[in-house]
Amino acid sequence: MNASPDFPIDSTRKIRQDNLRRLINARSIVFVGGAAAASGVDYCRALGFTGDVYAVHPSREELSGIPCVKSVADLPAVPDAAWIAVSTERSIDVVRELREFGTAGAVLYTAGFSETGDRTFEQRLIEAAGPMALVGPNCIGVINYLDGVPIALTQGLGTERPDHGVALIAQSGTIIGNMVMSERSVSVSHLLSMGNQSVTDIADAIEAVADDPRVDAILLYIEGLKDAPAFARAATRAFNQGKTLVALKAGVSKAGQELALAHTGSLAGSPELYEAFFRRLGIISVNTFPELLEMSKMLAFRGMPGGNRLMIETCSGTDSGYCADLAERFGVELPPLTPEVRDAVDAVIPGIATASNPLDVTMEQWGDREAQARSLITMLNQSCDGAALIVNFPSQGPTPSYDPAAEAMLDVRAATDLPCYVITNLPEGAPDRIREMLVANNIIPLQGMEDAFSCIGQAARYARRREELETRGGPDARLIPCGDLVPDATLDEQTSKQALAAFGLEIPRSALCGDVDQAVKAAGELGYPVVVKGHGSSLAHKSELGAVAINLATSQEVADAASTILALPGVEQLLVEAMVIDAVAEIIIGIKRDATVGLGIVLGSGGILTELLHDATTLLLPTTRDEVLQALSTLKGFPLLNGFRGRPPGDIEALCDAALSVAAYAEEHADKVMELDVNPLLVRPQELGVVAVDALIRLGKPAS
């Protein structure tokens, strides 16, 4: 599916994206400012920029050897791009002058805008920029390493000029700088530090680099998105062009969300909904910076596996055992050797070694390049998706006894088309010369066993996910637009359930009663057993209050329960319902709202298991039946739906219908639904349906 026509790209954004491409590929740059701008001029020389460099300063004669003019209007030609480091107030005027002069884009290093909590300056800045591609403010710059175009603060960000690599796009300058300067052999094509995203945003940056065939993948560090539909469009386009996006989302904790707002003025949003958003768009989501970096190498050096089956060679029983632990933790399969392959491996390894996967070749084979290669190549004679060597090099000094093992991987690489990895126990266990040798021979050095296995597992799952999305015609970029709301009203249980029933959700036969006698009469008419509940707009958690009595089989039991519940605080009426006695599982269906990415539906184990197991998954709306079914299958409680230990299987089709009914209600009322919970939804045996026995809807209204 392609982006929804509800979110067409506006003409200003299109112009801005074209201007950002011109900035990234600039043939002329002007630096406006003092010492910081001089550092940028020095970086142009260090990276080998071959275009024209200009300088603007009202009083200086020169800037790092470049003659200064006093104002933008005095420039001898219109520059493609500008780098600005002046005061907050003055920067707004400079941006306006550059736009009027015809400059395509600018990087604004200056801070002091929305991250201070006051948006006054930032709004003026936006107006001054117009359709110009303004990157920032509060950022370190933009670098095109491939073509030697730095519009950035300092040459400390590196001077390597690869012929391909991954593009790094982040709001944080420090983080993106650390990624470039890491000892990880990451091949970087572009660096874009987006800062506050006042004008150009992450979506624009993706669009600007996705067309370049030299860009292998796009790595994202996101504090918050300014325009989710635009991001969805850009991510979909990148996916359809074969570019993989990998995202690390900040602000998943309450403190992290507050810090994101203070750092770049970004609202971090709901972590669960962002995770669902990324999955829908075919974006790999990682949890740490090391994972982001290790994944980048797999993408840049064509090391993504087609599946999760890995053949591993070690020289340590400890390494082999830990590999097995990590494989189980991160979803990597270590296929046992077939009898034929086991016999073949036995014939080429030392007598004290045991043919297995992982294969501990023991120190008897250590240092023998030919033997090391032969044993692992022999293991590859059965179906698998990748080959790996576990080895940890000393950080310093010569390593003559270690080198043959790494060199053996060159022979393995020559003998197979599968991805090949050298995995170090610790991140520092891969010296520069070893990494360089491996990368030059298309072998991926993965640093740190935990991160390596996490990335291989992620990559294998991504391969399946990408195939799913390609089968469907690409990612689904549709979103339900949502604005910020403040609380307005909470619907009581019966009103909530009836509202959902109008959209197809099955609810129990029931009666609202004002006293004990009415409750007894209603129970008789409904048929025993019944449930009696307290009812009122303030009763959100009835079970904890003792306001629910179940499995009542006689009129006396109903009378006793009704009398007790009516006496509880907040109880206004009694709700008497026919009891479902054949449920095979309890499910929660909920709706979450995020002003940026829209509405999501939560599916999880329900009833008392909701808080006990934390077993839930989230899908972005709108969704499909296939996505709902797939999401349900990932739950820990799914075996209960599938016929656990001889119990009857549940009516999964009816459960999918129920989820889509709740989704339909939420989409219809997207302008006011703040939160919705159906918990529990009782799933009955196949062909008997489901019943929503409790529901709560909270509504909101736009903030005045």
Side-chain angles (χ1 to χ4, degrees), residues 290-455:
E291 286 182 8
L292 191 66
L293 292 172
E294 296 310 295
M295 188 67 74
S296 76
K297 289 186 283 190
M298 296 173 71
L299 290 160
F301 302 119
R302 316 306 196 269
M304 296 289 279
N308 70 339
R309 300 166 302 168
L310 194 62
M311 290 295 184
I312 301 177
E313 186 171 84
T314 79
C315 72
S316 161
T318 298
D319 282 352
S320 293
Y322 194 39
C323 283
D325 293 342
L326 293 174
E328 182 175 296
R329 186 189 310 174
F330 293 113
V332 176
E333 182 183 349
L334 304 178
L337 301 182
T338 65
E340 296 78 13
V341 171
R342 186 175 61 245
D343 291 344
V345 171
D346 263 331
V348 299
I349 59 176
I352 63 171
T354 301
S356 62
N357 181 32
L359 172 64
D360 171 15
V361 298
T362 76
M363 291 302 293
E364 188 171 326
Q365 186 173 296
W366 189 250
D368 186 333
R369 170 176 175 171
E370 182 180 349
Q372 290 279 101
R374 184 169 56 241
S375 55
L376 185 50
I377 291 170
T378 304
M379 294 174 70
L380 301 180
N381 285 327
Q382 70 181 74
S383 184
C384 60
D385 301 299
L389 168 72
I390 308 295
V391 60
N392 208 63
F393 289 83
S395 298
Q396 299 178 353
T399 56
S401 65
Y402 292 80
D403 293 349
E407 291 163 354
M409 287 303 291
L410 275 60
D411 303 327
V412 176
R413 168 76 283 168
T416 182
D417 293 328
L418 296 173
C420 293
Y421 312 105
V422 170
I423 300 173
T424 62
N425 300 70
L426 301 172
E428 58 269 25
D432 288 353
R433 64 178 183 82
I434 295 296
R435 296 197 313 272
E436 290 170 5
M437 177 190 73
L438 295 173
V439 166
N441 288 276
N442 200 29
I443 299 165
I444 315 301
L446 296 177
Q447 294 165 247
M449 290 177 69
E450 294 84 357
D451 294 327
F453 274 84
S454 175
C455 288

Side-chain angles (χ1 to χ4, degrees), residues 263-283:
H263 180 213
T264 59
S266 297
L267 293 171
S270 163
E272 297 84 2
L273 286 180
Y274 265 92
E275 185 73 25
F277 186 44
F278 293 154
R279 174 174 168 75
R280 162 172 271 180
L281 295 172
I283 297 173

Side-chain angles (χ1 to χ4, degrees), residues 486-504:
V486 296
D488 184 20
T490 299
L491 304 185
D492 60 47
E493 178 183 342
Q494 187 72 336
T495 305
S496 296
K497 289 198 298 199
Q498 288 175 345
L500 294 169
F503 283 79

